[in-house]
Amino acid sequence: MTSVSIYLILPYVGAALAFILGKMNQKLAFWVAEIVGAILFGTSVYVFMHYGETPIDIDYTWIAYGNLTLPLGIYIDHLSIVMLLIATGLGFADIHFAHDYMGDDPDQPRYYAKVLFFIGGMILLVIAKDLIGAFAGWEFMGLASYLLISFWFKTKSAADAGMQAFLYTRFGDIFLLAAIGLLVYFVGNINMVDLDSLAKAGEIDKTVAFITAIFIFLAAVGKSGQFPLYPWLMNAMEGPTTVSALIHGATMVNSGIYIVARLFDFYAYTDALLVVANVAALSAFIGATSALVQKEIKKILAYSTMSHLSIAFVGLGVGSLAAGMLHLMNHAIFKALLFLSAGAVIYIAHHTKDAWKLGGLIKTAPYVALFMAMGSMSLAGLPPFSGFFSKDMIIAEAITHGSPFVYTLVTIAGLLSIAYITRLWILIFLGEPRNEDIAGHVHAPGNFFIRLPLGILAFVTLGIALYQTDAVEYIVGHEIEEPHVKGLLVGLLLGMATLFAIVVGLYVKGMNLLEKISKHRFMQIIHQLLFRGYYVEAGITFISKNIVVNGIARALRWVDTYMIDWVVNATVPFARMIFRGFRIGHTGRIGDYIGTYAIGVAIIVVAILIIVKGV
Amino acid sequence: MNSLIILIGAGLLVPLFFKGKIVIAKYIATAAFAFAAFNVFMGHGISMEYFTLTPDIQLLEIVVLIVLAATMMTFSGFERPLVSQTLFLGAASMAMLETNNFLMFIVLFEVIAIISYVLGANIRSRLNAEGAIKMFVAGATASGFILLGFALFAMVTPSFNYAEIAIRGNFTLVAVGIMLAGIFYKMTIVPMHGWAGDAYAQINHSAAAILSSVIKVVVVIATFKAFYIFLQAYLNTTVLLFSFFAIITMTLGNFMALFQKKIAKILSFSSIAHAGYMLIPFAAIASGYSYTALVYLAVAYIFMQTSVFLLLNDLRREAHIKTLDDIRGLYQRSPLHALFFTIQLLSLAGVPIMAGFISKAVTFWAGVDAGLWPLVLIAALNSALSVGYYAWVIKHIYFDTTDGYNTSKIYMTPGSLLGQLILLAGTIYFGIFAAPVFVSTGI
C-alpha cells in the first residue's frame, strides 16, 4: 500500500521539486532526480523481494454516479513487477548517466522534471488494473516523449520530430480510446484482469473482442514503432541520447508489448494474435534491413530497436507470452546499455552522431568499447549473453507455431542483428578517425557517471543470462517447455558467423571493395530504399499532406472561417447589449443596491404569496 | 472542543507578535490551523450539544482549515489585521458546519458576518473604505431580514434542532422566505448581489479571497443543512424559486464578467456566477446526488477562488497590477504567478483534471437526475460562456507581450509559493480523485 502511494505520488512531486529547486540551483535538479529515481527503484526492489503469493490488488472507484462507473484500480503481479524493475531501474541508471551527458545544458531542471514525469507515466501504465488508468499512463508517456524529443526545441528538426512523434502515436492512441469505449459499451468492463478471465471463459462476443483487440494493437503499433507507424521512432533520435536510451530504447516503446501481454488471454481468444504476428514479422524485417545502411549511430540503434520490439511481438503473436516478455526484458537492458554507450561515445566526441566520422575510439575509451561490445553481443544473440536465449526461443516458437511468412522474416531479422551491430561497433571503435575535427579532440569519459552505469548494465546483461529459466517461470507462473527445433542452434550460429565474417571482412579489411560495391547503380537503389526506411514516411507524409491537410482540413477551415467565425463574431454585439442591460443596476451606489435587494425580496414574497393562494 | 480553544486562543495570542515582522504570528496561526485540521482528521469535532461531526462535514472542515492555513502563509505585513480574524473565522466555520441547531445557525451566521466586516475593514485607501461600507450596509440590511424571519419561525417551532423542527403552515413558509432573503445576501444571489460585485473588487484582495470563498462556502453548506427540511417540504416552490435564482445569478454574473477591464471585477462576478451554480443542487433537492454535488462544488470552488484572489493580491502588491492591460505578458515577468493563475482559471472554467470540472459534472448530473433539463442546459451554456472571460485573461497572460508597459520581474515570496502550491494540490487532487467526496457524502 505504501509502495503504491510512492509510485503514484513521488514521480510527480519529484518532477515539480526538481524543476522548482533546479531553478534556484542547477545542480539541485540532478540530485533531486537522482534521489527520487533511487527511491523508486528501491521501492520496486522492495516490492519484488516482498511479493506474497497473491498480486497486490486494490480496487478504487474513480467516479461513480448514475450508471457511469469509472474504476481506477491498481494491480501488481509478476508481469507488472518485471516492468516496474525495468522502468525504475533503467530510469535510475539513465538519470545517473545524464549527470555528465546533460551537464552542460542550461535547461537541466526542465530535463529532469520531464524525465521524472515520464517515469511516473510508465509506472502508472504498468500498475493500472483498468484500461482507464493504463490509458492515462499511456498518454502521460506520450506527452513526456513529445516534450523530451523536442527538448532542444530551438532547433527546428527537434521541434518537428517531437511534433511528428506526437501525431504518429496519437493516431494510434485514438484507437485505444475507441477500444475503451467499445468495451464499456459492449462488455461493460474495462478491468484488464477481468477481461482476460472473461475471454478465457468465453463470455465475450468474438467480434467485439477481435475489433477491440485490433484497436488496442493499433495503439501499440504507434507506441512501439511497428509498421507502418515507425518513422517517428527514427526521428525521435533528435532528442538527447539519454532520452533515446530510456524512452525510445528501453521503456516506453515496450508499453505496446506490455499491454498486449497484459491482455494476452484476451488476444488469444480471437485471431488477433495472427495479426500481431504478421505485422510484427514484417516490421522486424524492415527494421533489421534498414539498420544495415544507416549513418547515424542512434538511427542504427533506433531501427534495431524497432526490429527487436517486433521480434518480441512475434513471440507474443505465435502464442508464447514467456518468449515475448523474456525478449522484452533482455532487450530493454541491453538496448539501454547500447544507447548509453552510444551516448558516451557521442559525449566524448563532442556530440558527433555520424558513425562515419568516428573511428579508432577504442584507444580513448577502451571500457566503453568493451561494454558496448557486450551489449552488441547480447543484441546479436550470441551465447552466453541474455539476448541469445530469448531470441532463440522466439525463433523456435515461430518455426513451431507460426506461418512460413512469420518465421522466415523473423529469422532473417534475428540473423541480421549481428551484421548491423558489428558494423556500428567497427565504425566507432576500430580504424582511424575519419574526421579531422574529431581526431585528437576526443576526451576520456568520467568514471562515476559514465563508466559505472555502463559497467553495471553490461554486468546485468551477462548475469541475467543465468536466470533465464527462472525469469520465464516468474513471468508466466509455471515452468514451460521450450520447443526444440532440430539443427536450429547450429544453423543460427553458422549464419551469424558467416554474416560476422562478411561484415568484419568488408569494414576492417575491404573498405575499397565496399566502396566499389556501393557505387554500383543497383546497390544504390537498394541503399536508398533501405536508408529511407522503405519510403513509408514519405508515403504517410504524402497522404496526410494531400488528402488530410489540403483536402479535408482546408474544407473545414473554410467552414470555420466563413461560417462558424461569423456566427461567433455576431454574438459579440449581442453579448455586449446584454451586458449593458445588466449594468444598469450596477451604479456603485449602496442605495441602489439596497433597491435591487428589495426587488429580490419582492420576488420571494410574490412566490410565497402564489403558493399560499394555492395557484 | 480542543480545536476551537486552540484556534480562538491563537487568535487572541497573535496580536502580541504584530510588532515588526509578522512571521511569528503566521507560524503560530498556521500551526493552530494544522493542529485543528489534524484533530478533525482524527475525528474529534467540537463534540458539544448541538454539534455533530459527520464524514462529509469532516472533509469540508479539513478543506476549510487547510485553505485558511494556505491563505495564512501568503499573508504579508499588509495583512497584519487579518491574522487573528482568520483564526476566529476558522473556529466559527467549524462551528457553523457542525451545528445541528437552528438557533446556533442564526447566531453563527451573525458571528461570521461580523468577522467578515472586520476582514473587510483592513482599510488603506478610499476604495477599501467604500467597499467595506457597502458590505457593512448591505450586511446590516440582510441581518435585519434574517432576524425577522427567524423571529417568525421561532414563534411556531417547538424545537430548534434540525431533526425536531416542525412546519406549521404558512407561518413557517413566510418565515423561511424572509430568512432566505437575508441568506441570499451572503451567498451573493442576484439581485441581492449588488454589494459583492463592488466590495470583492474594492476591499483588500486577501480579504476578498476569504470572503468570496471560505465564507461563502460555509454559509452555503450550513444553509443547505439547516433548510433541508423546508426545501423538501415545499418541493415545488423550491424547484421554481431556486431554478429562477440560479439562472439569473449565473447569467448576470457571467455577462457582467465578460466585458470588465479590472481583473478583480472579473473575479468577483465570476464568484457571483459560481453562486448561481451552487443553487442548482438546491433546486435539484429531489435527486439523491444533490448534496454530493453541493459538497463537490464547495470543495472545488474554495481552492480555486481563494487561489486566484491571493495571486491577484500578490500581483497588486508587488507590481500594481489591476487591469487586463497590466497583466499583459505576465508570463515573462513571473512564470510562477502566470502558471498558478492559469491553472486555477482553467479550473474555474471547468477544464478536466481540475476540480472545477468534476464539480460541475456532478452538479449537472444531479440536475438531470432531478429532471431539471432546462436548468442544466442553461448552466452548461453559461459555463461555456464563462470560458470566454477566463480564456481572455489567460490570453493576456501568455499571448500578449508587455510592449511599453512595465517589464520588471515580479518576485514570489516563499510563503506565497507554499500557499499556492497547497491550493494547487487541492485543485488537482479533487480533480483526479473523486472518491473522497463521494464516499463522505454516502454515494
Side-chain angles (χ1 to χ4, degrees), chain B residues 331-394:
Chain B
Y331 169 62
Q332 291 158 340
R333 301 180 66 187
S334 172
L336 277 176
H337 281 108
L339 183 72
F340 285 128
F341 214 94
T342 304
I343 295 177
Q344 301 290 5
L345 282 179
L346 288 177
S347 179
L348 279 167
V351 174
I353 90 141
M354 264 78 84
F357 167 71
I358 301 191
S359 70
K360 270 184 189 158
V362 180
T363 308
F364 292 173
W365 169 255
V368 172
D369 196 40
L372 301 173
W373 271 102
L375 175 62
V376 171
L377 186 69
I378 293 172
L381 286 176
N382 258 298
S383 179
L385 178 67
S386 71
V387 178
Y389 54 86
Y390 295 127
W392 193 236
V393 178
I394 296 170

Side-chain angles (χ1 to χ4, degrees), chain B residues 10-142:
Chain B
L12 294 172
L13 182 72
V14 286
L16 295 177
F17 301 97
F18 277 179
K19 276 187 181 160
K21 292 197 170 180
I22 60 159
V23 180
I24 298 173
K26 272 169 68 176
Y27 278 139
I28 294 174
T30 313
F33 281 127
F35 175 81
F38 178 74
N39 233 346
V40 175
F41 178 74
M42 298 306 289
H44 304 305
I46 296 173
S47 42
M48 284 195 296
E49 208 184 347
Y50 309 134
F51 297 97
T52 42
L53 187 67
T54 47
D56 47 321
I57 296 301
Q58 194 181 4
L59 175 77
L60 276 166
E61 281 184 5
I62 294 171
V63 166
V64 164
L65 290 169
I66 287 177
V67 166
L68 286 176
T71 313
M72 184 63 63
M73 289 175 196
T74 67
F75 280 174
S76 69
F78 283 101
E79 283 88 21
R80 202 172 308 241
L82 303 190
V83 177
S84 48
Q85 293 307 320
T86 311
L87 283 161
F88 294 149
L89 178 65
S93 302
M94 280 182 69
M96 181 91 165
L97 287 169
E98 278 184 37
T99 183
N100 56 14
N101 182 289
F102 216 97
L103 181 61
M104 276 294 163
F105 170 74
I106 297 294
V107 171
L108 286 164
F109 187 91
E110 291 305 315
V111 169
I112 288 189
I114 289 167
I115 293 175
S116 67
Y117 305 145
V118 183
L119 281 173
N122 182 16
I123 294 168
R124 286 168 191 275
S125 68
R126 281 187 68 88
L127 218 56
N128 288 167
E130 191 183 322
I133 291 291
K134 275 176 189 165
M135 191 166 72
F136 179 69
V137 174
T141 318

Side-chain angles (χ1 to χ4, degrees), chain A residues 1-5 7 43 46-48 50-59 73-78 80-81 84 126-129 193 262:
Chain A
M1 191 64 215
T2 329
S3 48
V4 171
S5 345
Y7 281 140
T43 312
Y46 176 85
V47 171
F48 173 69
H50 289 78
Y51 185 83
E53 290 295 305
T54 48
I56 300 174
D57 187 351
I58 302 168
D59 275 318
I74 299 293
Y75 188 79
I76 302 180
D77 61 355
H78 283 165
S80 308
I81 291 178
L84 280 173
V126 299
I127 66 174
K129 186 180 185 181
V193 183
R262 169 62 76 202

